[in-house]
Amino acid sequence: MFSGDYIDICRTAVQKIYPDGSSTIMVADSPCFREPGWELRGSPAVGEGKPTPDIEKRERALRRARARVLDIARSNADLAYFVTLTLDKRKINRYDINEQMRRMRGWLSNRVQRDGLKYVLVPELHGDGAVHYHGLINDVLQRKDSGTMSFGGGKPFRVKRSEQAKMLEAGARVVYNLPEWDFGFTTAIELYGERSKAINYVCKYIGKGGGKIGGRYYLSGGALLSPEKRFFDADFELFKDDNHVFTIERLGARVVKFEVEGEL
């Protein structure tokens, strides 16, 4: 099934360890997780080199993008604000993806250098072809109270200053604007409650419009941390749970994935 060279540098399990001590572990029924720094020699892994239908390639790319955004968000607890960045047609061509991406990357790079911005943003395509962005940022940009509030990230509503304290007690959150955003309109809401819900909300936009936008599923930058990875061998049969087993088709391996709250 696998060449000797492949087995020598691959393991049956990989653990992603996040800064808060939690981790995700995947255990496969064959050695398919390759340790970094090695190259394969000899026979390829099962499925490698075989033609793959476009739809399968796209699904794999989407899974990788979602996994990477999830890793970024879980590894960087200081990504504390959920933001939406929209474009004003008076300031930028909302329908020219290449122009948007060029100017967007320039603005983001500038904010990283000047302010220490950290971010992960997912572009979303409107039905009319315009784009806006959802994502997470750290608390380094200027914020201005928009005069609106939101429950659970829902549609913002206007609140009198005198009523704001009462609404905060009821669970609403202040919706801010980001004055430094040069190309249109913004909202920013501080994360609260279950962080995983906000992370999953961002991930759901990946590929929502049918594919990459401007050649990207997401944008990320700044001094972002990544989870530590540990590779080892484990017995798939000991961890197998039919409710959590899936197949990596290109490797011909069955995998079980589970979460660990603290250190093993």
Side-chain angles (χ1 to χ4, degrees):
M1 184 175 180
F2 294 96
S3 72
D5 287 328
Y6 189 88
I7 294 173
D8 286 343
I9 65 173
C10 289
R11 299 290 178 258
T12 59
V14 59
Q15 179 184 16
K16 291 182 180 179
I17 305 169
Y18 299 96
D20 65 358
S22 66
S23 62
T24 297
I25 297 177
M26 291 193 292
V27 180
D29 64 354
S30 55
C32 62
F33 299 114
R34 178 158 56 98
E35 297 186 60
W38 296 89
E39 294 183 1
L40 297 180
R41 293 186 291 112
S43 302
V46 172
E48 190 171 321
K50 293 182 180 180
T52 305
D54 288 343
I55 190 168
E56 186 178 336
K57 286 183 179 179
R58 177 178 175 275
E59 288 303 314
R60 286 210 309 266
L62 282 171
R63 286 195 297 270
R64 287 195 297 269
R66 288 171 183 144
R68 179 55 185 153
V69 170
L70 182 65
D71 282 349
I72 291 172
R74 289 185 63 176
S75 298
N76 295 271
D78 56 344
L79 295 177
Y81 283 84
F82 173 78
V83 298
T84 297
L85 310 176
T86 61
L87 304 172
D88 184 346
K89 63 182 179 182
R90 295 169 296 183
K91 297 181 178 181
I92 189 171
N93 186 340
R94 301 171 67 223
Y95 305 100
D96 187 329
I97 302 299
N98 293 329
E99 178 190 350
Q100 283 180 41
M101 283 295 178
R102 176 179 58 80
R103 297 180 68 181
M104 182 77 168
R105 285 194 293 265
W107 184 87
L108 290 168
S109 178
N110 195 23
R111 298 277 69 83
V112 168
Q113 297 299 319
R114 290 190 176 190
D115 304 312
L117 178 67
K118 296 168 64 173
Y119 65 90
V120 57
L121 299 169
V122 177
E124 180 190 8
L125 193 66
H126 286 278
D128 66 352
V131 176
H132 66 204
Y133 301 83
H134 304 280
L136 304 173
I137 66 170
N138 59 338
D139 185 15
V140 295
L141 300 182
Q142 296 176 34
R143 286 181 285 113
K144 180 181 179 182
D145 190 332
S146 69
T148 65
M149 302 185 79
S150 171
F151 280 107
K155 187 176 180 180
F157 54 89
R158 295 224 159 260
V159 178
K160 294 179 180 179
R161 296 289 182 185
S162 59
E163 297 290 321
Q164 193 175 80
K166 184 169 67 175
M167 298 305 295
L168 285 171
E169 289 181 5
R173 288 296 181 270
V174 175
V175 177
Y176 297 97
N177 298 137
L178 304 174
E180 293 168 284
W181 173 243
D182 294 334
F183 306 124
F185 314 98
T186 60
T187 61
I189 302 175
E190 187 173 10
L191 299 187
Y192 63 96
E194 293 185 37
R195 183 179 175 83
S196 60
K197 288 184 178 181
I199 295 172
N200 290 333
Y201 188 77
V202 172
C203 287
K204 81 173 187 177
Y205 286 104
I206 297 174
K208 183 178 177 181
K212 294 181 179 180
I213 297 175
R216 307 290 292 272
Y217 283 122
Y218 66 93
L219 304 172
S220 63
L224 294 169
L225 301 176
S226 295
E228 176 190 352
K229 285 186 179 181
R230 294 179 183 173
F231 296 82
F232 57 98
D233 289 314
D235 187 344
F236 174 79
E237 294 299 325
L238 292 178
F239 295 94
K240 182 175 64 175
D241 177 345
D242 291 339
N243 293 324
H244 297 90
V245 172
F246 59 97
T247 300
I248 301 178
E249 296 289 352
R250 64 190 176 89
L251 297 179
R254 290 191 302 154
V255 176
V256 61
K257 180 178 179 181
F258 55 94
E259 299 284 334
V260 178
E261 290 298 326
E263 295 184 5
L264 291 176

